[in-house]
């Protein structure tokens, strides 16, 4: 793309595709009442071709990264400005997941609670952690399905339903590193945030926001 141009990117969530959810989005979401026609064809295709790249569920990043976008004229040392003009859900549902050993409320690598909470407040609960089994479907991870109705998120609360406004944002936005600036550029993990953005989960980066990133490789490769 040229600098200043507008592009539309169709993103795909990894939920419903991962090992702990069976790697079959049609079956996973079908069990939640979602018709096959409402499951993204992209997600189905990714799940069907899942074995083409070796993966370790316990260490590799779960994210489905779309791109890269080559920005004409962008060179290392430049700054890339990304303006999000809109963020529209592609499907009438979402998933909120809490996986053992990951996330802000997970038990730390030293088996302690994160600062500010007790072990009883760790999520998912420690007593459900069955990672030693080696089968992600048995790990006890918690994934909560959330329907979207009339533009609002809908979740069960006892016998009632809670409705809340949606504020979509891109959990991941970043640029590629160059082998000249990072020798591990070709094998980057999508989990940790980096100097070039990545898995940042900044909820303010929705529609109307501007995000600035340093450029490390020719074309920025956003």
């Amino acid at each position: 793309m040229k600098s200043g141009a507008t592009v539309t990117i169709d993103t795909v969530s990894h939920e419903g595709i991962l090992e702990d959810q069976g790697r079959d989005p049609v079956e996973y979401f079908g069990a939640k009442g979602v018709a096959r026609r409402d499951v993204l064809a992209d997600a189905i295709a990714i799940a069907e071709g899942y074995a083409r790249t070796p993966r370790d569920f316990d260490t590799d990043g779960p994210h489905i990264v779309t791109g890269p976008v080559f920005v004409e004229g962008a060179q290392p040392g430049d700054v890339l400005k990304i303006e999000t003009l809109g963020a529209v859900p592609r499907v009438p549902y979402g998933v909120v997941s809490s996986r053992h050993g990951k996330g802000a409320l997970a038990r730390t690598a030293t088996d302690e609670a994160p600062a500010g909470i007790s072990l009883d407040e760790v999520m998912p609960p420690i007593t459900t952690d069955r990672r030693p089994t080696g089968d992600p479907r048995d790990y006890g991870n918690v994934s909560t399905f959330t329907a979207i109705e009339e533009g609002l998120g809908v979740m069960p609360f006892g016998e009632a339903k809670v409705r809340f406004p949606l504020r979509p944002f891109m959990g991941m936005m970043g640029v590629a590193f160059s082998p000249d600036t990072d020798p591990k550029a070709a094998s980057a993990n999508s989990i940790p945030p980096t100097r070039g953005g990545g898995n940042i989960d900044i909820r303010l980066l929705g529609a109307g926001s501007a995000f600035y990133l340093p450029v490390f490789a020719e074309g920025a490769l956003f």
Side-chain angles (χ1 to χ4, degrees):
M1 63 175 288
K2 295 183 181 296
S3 178
T6 298
V7 296
T8 299
I9 298 175
D10 289 338
T11 63
V12 184
S13 169
H14 51 271
E15 303 292 356
I17 298 175
L18 292 182
E19 291 90 333
D20 62 337
Q21 297 166 337
R23 301 198 308 192
D24 185 340
V26 172
E27 181 179 347
Y28 179 79
F29 289 115
K32 312 294 183 183
V34 178
R36 181 187 177 92
R37 65 177 180 275
D38 289 328
V39 179
L40 284 181
D42 298 356
I44 296 172
I46 291 169
E48 289 176 346
Y50 202 88
R52 69 181 182 274
T53 302
R55 240 183 67 78
D56 184 336
F57 176 80
D58 293 316
T59 59
D60 292 338
H63 309 98
I64 298 170
V65 183
T66 306
V69 175
F70 187 98
V71 181
E72 294 181 9
Q75 295 293 331
D78 290 343
V79 173
L80 181 68
K81 178 184 181 182
I82 303 101
E83 294 179 281
T84 300
L85 305 182
V88 182
R90 301 178 66 197
V91 290
Y93 56 82
V95 178
V96 178
S97 289
S98 180
R99 295 185 165 92
H100 286 286
K102 301 177 181 180
L105 299 180
R107 181 169 40 166
T108 67
T110 56
D111 290 336
E112 299 173 313
I117 68 172
S118 68
L119 284 174
D120 291 338
E121 297 172 294
V122 165
M123 283 296 294
I126 293 174
T127 54
T128 67
D129 188 352
R130 293 186 292 276
R131 282 180 288 177
T133 66
D135 184 345
R137 293 169 296 181
D138 293 334
Y139 282 10
N141 298 330
V142 177
S143 294
T144 303
F145 176 81
T146 307
I148 299 175
E149 298 176 2
E150 299 179 352
L152 296 175
V154 181
M155 295 182 69
F157 186 76
E159 296 183 359
K161 291 183 178 181
V162 173
R163 299 177 183 272
F164 53 91
L166 300 178
R167 293 180 58 186
F169 67 96
M170 295 297 102
M172 294 190 69
M173 288 201 292
V175 295
F177 287 119
S178 163
D180 298 330
T181 58
D182 186 342
K184 297 185 293 184
S187 59
N189 191 302
S190 67
I191 295 176
T194 70
R195 292 173 296 151
N199 185 25
I200 49 178
D201 284 333
I202 299 175
R203 67 180 181 87
L204 299 176
L205 293 177
S209 66
F211 185 36
Y212 298 84
L213 287 171
V215 175
F216 298 101
E218 181 184 2
L221 303 180
F222 174 68

